[in-house]
Amino acid sequence: MRKLRTLELAKVGKWGQDGAEITRQDLADVVETFAGKRPVVIGHDGAQDDKAPKFGDVLDVRLNGSGNTLIGDTLFLPEAEGLYADGHYDGWSVSIPRRAADEKRYLHHLAILGAMPPKIPGLKELSAVP
């Protein structure tokens, strides 16, 4: 059964071995630039190939009350839903590059992850509604 999953997508802070920083302004940019659904892929490499399928959609994004966390409503396709529900892919990570036109960040994709840990640890699933 498909579920609408509300996920924490990113948080303010310095993350990963490279210490990449995500600011409140970065997250606000993602909300401002969100222009409809964005793809869910398996692993970040899945978003780099025109022939790769998508496994769902991020339908909407918003900030939490403090503005420090990006939250997204996500719907996985049945194939990804099964892999996620069975624990094969239990982490996720977003790609939020900057647009060349104005340097604002935008949501490129959400990657569900299995063996590779996410750059931002501790992101939570906030709800799952059938």
Side-chain angles (χ1 to χ4, degrees):
M1 170 185 289
R2 293 177 72 182
K3 296 179 180 177
L4 181 65
R5 296 183 182 279
T6 301
L7 306 174
E8 292 179 339
L9 300 179
K11 292 184 177 191
V12 169
K14 291 186 178 183
W15 307 105
Q17 293 179 341
D18 63 354
E21 184 173 14
I22 297 175
T23 67
R24 288 174 66 135
Q25 185 59 54
D26 292 334
L27 298 182
D29 285 354
V30 173
V31 172
E32 178 187 333
T33 60
F34 191 78
K37 62 186 180 181
R38 303 304 301 156
V40 174
V41 297
I42 294 180
H44 284 291
D45 291 342
Q48 306 306 318
D49 186 346
D50 285 348
K51 295 176 229 112
K54 71 175 184 170
F55 288 90
D57 294 296
V58 179
L59 303 173
D60 190 28
V61 296
R62 61 192 171 281
L63 298 177
N64 71 345
S66 68
N68 291 326
T69 303
L70 181 68
I71 297 169
D73 295 323
T74 306
L75 193 61
F76 295 156
L77 292 174
E79 299 82 359
E81 180 64 41
L83 292 168
Y84 179 81
D86 290 343
H88 296 286
Y89 293 91
D90 60 357
W92 55 88
S93 178
V94 291
S95 173
I96 54 171
R98 294 188 185 278
R99 297 190 305 199
D102 58 12
E103 291 296 308
K104 290 188 178 190
R105 291 200 181 267
Y106 68 98
L107 178 63
H108 185 267
H109 66 271
L110 169 68
I112 57 173
L113 305 173
M116 179 65 70
K119 191 172 210 173
I120 303 173
L123 295 173
K124 296 180 179 113
E125 178 177 357
L126 302 175
S127 67
V129 180

